[in-house]
Every structure is written in structure tokens, then in C-alpha cells.
Amino acid sequence: MTTIYIALDTTNIEKLTTLANVIPRNFHIKVGLELFIANPAVIGKLFTVNPLFLDLKLHDIPTTIEKTVTNLRKYLPKIVTVHSSGGHGMLKAAQHGFAGTSSSIAGVVNLSSMPIDKGKIHNRISRLIKAGIPYVILPPVKSVIVGVQEVYPELKIITPGIRPSWYVKEDDHVNVLSLEEAYKLNIDVVMGRPLLSLDPETMIRYIQEQKV
């Protein structure tokens, strides 16, 4: 079953409050580095029931990563992201930081603002597999997603840059994928920009209707 992550890509309290009032309980929220640094307290104040995805893209030496992930436990995240380019030791350290909890690590293999490098993606995914990391963040490119599903069916795929098929506003994502296509691929999806630039309540209804 597809999990929906709503990206809180703003630090504007008014917009965050509006989102908090319309996001269903079964949707997850994704908090990026900007909001997390600017106002981490707002997460617990406004979004008390939605599972939390901390998209921090951590990348440092293993000891620092393990301590950082351990310190993130207090936010009760479902998922925290790390850069898969950090190497096996760093990935294992991230895993150790969540030992004994229900939280998971997700590996970022190719930023959605960067050109696609399929060889590098598969090389980095192999590191995730060896480190026992269950989630991978993949760019919104159908051929990449299908290729990974065929080789690594055990991995859970989360993809940002998901848009309605009729949404044409440009942003910093080099690639995007329609929500309709994402549902067909049976991947977990991240959507944020359309909810901030259009009416959030209308967009939530659209997401739910397409999922049926």
C-alpha cells in the first residue's frame, strides 16, 4: 500500500497551520532541514498524530552520525534520511543510533535536483543493502524506479518530486513524476510544492481520489 508523505517545505507558521488542519491522520509528514533548523518545536505543536519523516540527509563520520541519530529519537521519527555516499561505516552507525526502536533509516542515492547516474544509484543501493537499511529515496524517474524494483524487490522506495499530471509550475527538481504514475508503480510518494502553491484542501482530496 502506498504511503503518502506531505512535505512541509515552508517555515511560514500560517501555511503550516493550514496544512495541519487538512492533512489526514493516515498521511505522514516530511520535515526537511530548513524547517527542522528554523523551528523544530512546531512539529510537536501542530502535527501530533501524523507519523514523522525527518529528511535531514545526514552525512558525517560514523561516530557523529550515530550520536546524532540517537539524539533524534526524542522526536519519535518513523524515518530519518542519510546520504548513502557516506560509506558502509556511516550507514551502519546510523542504524545503530536507532537500535531497539521502531524508527528506520532511509538512504538518499541521487538528489532530485541532480542529473541521474544509474550506475552510481545501484552502487549506493548495494551499500544500503549491506548495511541493512530498508528504505531508499529514489529520484522520480520511472526507468530508475522499475530497474531498482526488479533488482532489489525487498527495498521500500520513497520518491519525492511527485506532481499531479496537470501541474506545470517549475521548481528545483530536475525530474518529476505524476501522482497517477507513482500509484501504478506502487511506491511511497512525497508531495509538497503543489499543496503550498495551490489550495491544500483541494490537493488533499485529489490525492485521496487518485489513490482509490
Side-chain angles (χ1 to χ4, degrees):
M1 180 180 294
T2 296
T3 297
I4 306 296
Y5 296 92
I6 301 299
L8 307 181
D9 291 330
T10 181
T11 57
N12 183 288
I13 296 299
E14 184 177 345
K15 290 182 178 181
L16 289 170
T17 301
T18 298
L19 289 173
N21 289 331
V22 301
I23 295 176
R25 296 171 65 95
N26 63 323
F27 280 27
H28 297 215
I29 58 168
K30 184 182 83 70
V31 173
L33 191 60
E34 180 185 7
L35 176 57
F36 187 74
I37 294 298
N39 194 355
V42 76
I43 304 167
K45 291 180 180 177
L46 293 180
F47 302 91
T48 58
V49 297
N50 301 96
L52 174 63
F53 170 16
L54 285 177
D55 187 18
L56 305 181
K57 301 181 179 71
L58 303 175
H59 187 221
D60 213 311
I61 62 174
T63 299
T64 299
I65 289 297
E66 182 171 352
K67 291 178 179 178
T68 299
V69 171
T70 298
N71 287 330
L72 291 173
R73 290 184 182 200
K74 63 186 176 184
Y75 295 101
L76 303 177
K78 178 188 175 185
I79 296 172
V80 171
T81 56
V82 300
H83 271 293
S84 58
S85 58
H88 181 75
M90 190 204 79
L91 297 175
K92 289 296 291 185
Q95 287 281 77
H96 290 158
F98 277 154
T101 75
S102 59
S103 300
S104 296
I105 297 295
V108 177
V109 295
N110 197 117
L111 293 175
S112 55
S113 61
M114 300 293 289
I116 299 300
D117 186 330
K118 291 184 180 180
K120 186 178 292 183
I121 286 174
H122 283 268
N123 180 53
R124 290 177 174 177
I125 286 177
S126 68
R127 297 179 189 171
L128 301 181
I129 297 292
K130 290 176 182 177
I133 291 176
Y135 289 91
V136 61
I137 312 298
L138 284 183
V141 177
K142 182 177 178 180
S143 62
V144 172
I145 294 169
V146 172
V148 170
Q149 287 175 326
E150 290 175 347
V151 180
Y152 309 100
E154 70 275 29
L155 269 181
K156 299 174 183 177
I157 297 172
I158 302 174
T159 300
I162 304 301
R163 307 285 187 260
S165 56
W166 41 263
Y167 185 83
V168 295
K169 186 174 181 179
E170 294 185 0
D171 52 44
D172 55 359
H173 286 272
V174 173
N175 300 287
V176 296
L177 188 70
S178 74
L179 179 63
E180 297 84 348
E181 193 66 47
Y183 281 148
K184 292 177 184 177
L185 291 170
N186 195 31
I187 57 176
D188 293 344
V189 304
V190 179
M191 187 182 290
R193 309 294 172 83
L195 278 87
L196 293 172
S197 60
L198 304 173
D199 176 59
E201 192 167 3
T202 300
M203 282 304 308
I204 290 294
R205 284 200 301 270
Y206 174 79
I207 293 169
Q208 292 173 317
E209 289 168 358
Q210 294 300 313
K211 194 175 182 181
V212 174

